[in-house]
Amino acid sequence: MADRNDVKQNRADQIRGLIEADIASGKLAPGARLEEAALAERFKVSRTPVREALAQLASAGLVEMRPRQGAVVATLGLETILEMFEVMANLESLCAELCARRMTVADQEELMALHQRCAEVIESGDADAYYEANRRFHEAIYVGCRNTYLEEMTRSLRNRVSPYRRIQLRHPGRLRRSLEEHDAIVKAIIASDPDTAREATKRHIAVQGDTFTDFMALLRSSRKEVA
């Protein structure tokens, strides 16, 4: 029989994963309140595993515990966001570099199918559907690098910056540019060209030049909406 503490911990881990997924998908925006009572009702549990899940998310930097407000989805400062994007660009570019060296033919076929899915979604005009297809595309690159530690590090940071990556996709024309950048990454991986795969991915993720000023404008706008 499973230990009662183990059952409680498993529930806390499950709740943490579900809340983290909501943050990563944009369902919970930066600054959104996470009320224990509402979450306990949603997940049909007591407040104890909810409280433990929120503590885990706070330790990971996804949630802030604020006086008189309780738990809220973390709101990052501009400097922190830019530093995270800088690290993210290097982590993902290393994943892509390793993919170009290690992906099997089956892996490559799956990546091309996910790339095609992104193209199909763009034609539908559904930005939310594109974001989900885009997430799966990048996930395939994390897995395809065949380095579990790097995969976990990259996914963890991706979850922290996901709300801000989603903001990037609001810019007019960004979805199609994103798809074009994906195409360059896929071609380099299929061609087993690690250098090009690395540089194409770094350009895709990095916030610089005109992308930086566009991102700044969108970030200010999104924070006004939350306020």
Side-chain angles (χ1 to χ4, degrees):
M1 182 179 292
D3 185 273
R4 184 174 297 179
N5 289 330
D6 290 340
V7 172
K8 289 181 179 179
Q9 189 57 53
N10 287 339
R11 286 178 180 171
D13 291 342
Q14 291 168 2
I15 293 168
R16 174 218 163 107
L18 292 168
I19 296 173
E20 186 172 348
D22 283 350
I23 294 172
S25 69
K27 291 180 181 178
L28 289 171
R33 292 187 63 184
L34 299 167
E35 298 181 358
E36 287 184 12
L39 291 169
E41 174 64 23
R42 172 187 170 187
F43 297 119
K44 308 301 181 187
V45 297
S46 69
R47 290 195 182 192
T48 299
V50 170
R51 194 172 296 121
E52 291 175 359
L54 293 176
Q56 291 176 23
L57 291 165
S59 296
L62 286 165
V63 164
E64 298 172 0
M65 308 303 289
R66 296 180 180 175
R68 296 182 297 278
Q69 292 185 44
V72 299
V73 178
T75 300
L76 305 177
L78 176 61
E79 183 176 350
T80 301
I81 294 170
L82 294 178
E83 287 175 347
M84 285 183 169
F85 268 93
E86 183 176 44
V87 175
M88 194 73 212
N90 282 280
L91 287 176
E92 288 215 29
S93 63
L94 177 56
C95 287
E97 176 186 344
L98 294 177
C99 281
R101 292 161 45 188
R102 299 176 179 177
M103 264 192 167
T104 64
V105 172
D107 291 335
Q108 292 175 352
E109 290 175 349
E110 174 67 13
L111 185 64
M112 287 188 288
L114 291 168
H115 178 43
Q116 180 59 36
R117 173 59 183 162
C118 289
E120 293 168 356
V121 168
I122 282 183
E123 295 305 320
S124 74
D126 187 336
D128 289 335
Y130 181 81
Y131 185 82
E132 177 60 19
N134 177 66
R135 182 189 66 78
R136 292 182 178 181
F137 174 85
H138 285 275
E139 285 275 352
I141 292 175
Y142 306 160
V143 174
C145 77
R146 294 291 186 271
N147 182 313
T148 303
Y149 186 68
L150 176 60
E151 176 188 345
E152 291 174 352
M153 285 182 62
T154 308
R155 184 179 288 108
S156 176
L157 183 55
R158 189 279 312 278
N159 287 344
R160 291 194 68 185
V161 301
S162 280
Y164 303 96
R165 290 179 75 161
R166 194 181 187 92
I167 288 170
Q168 284 184 301
L169 296 178
R170 294 186 187 179
H171 190 271
R174 177 57 195 161
L175 295 186
R176 291 198 177 277
R177 288 200 303 276
S178 173
L179 185 66
E180 291 169 1
E181 292 163 5
H182 283 185
D183 193 60
I185 294 168
V186 171
K187 286 178 178 177
I189 290 173
I190 299 302
S192 300
D193 184 344
D195 292 340
T196 300
R198 180 183 64 249
E199 292 307 313
T201 304
K202 187 173 291 187
R203 287 193 300 271
H204 177 56
I205 302 298
V207 178
Q208 57 191 354
D210 290 341
T211 302
F212 172 76
T213 55
D214 292 342
F215 177 73
M216 285 289 293
L218 290 167
L219 181 60
R220 284 195 294 268
S221 175
S222 69
R223 285 185 169 170
K224 287 178 181 177
E225 291 173 7
V226 172

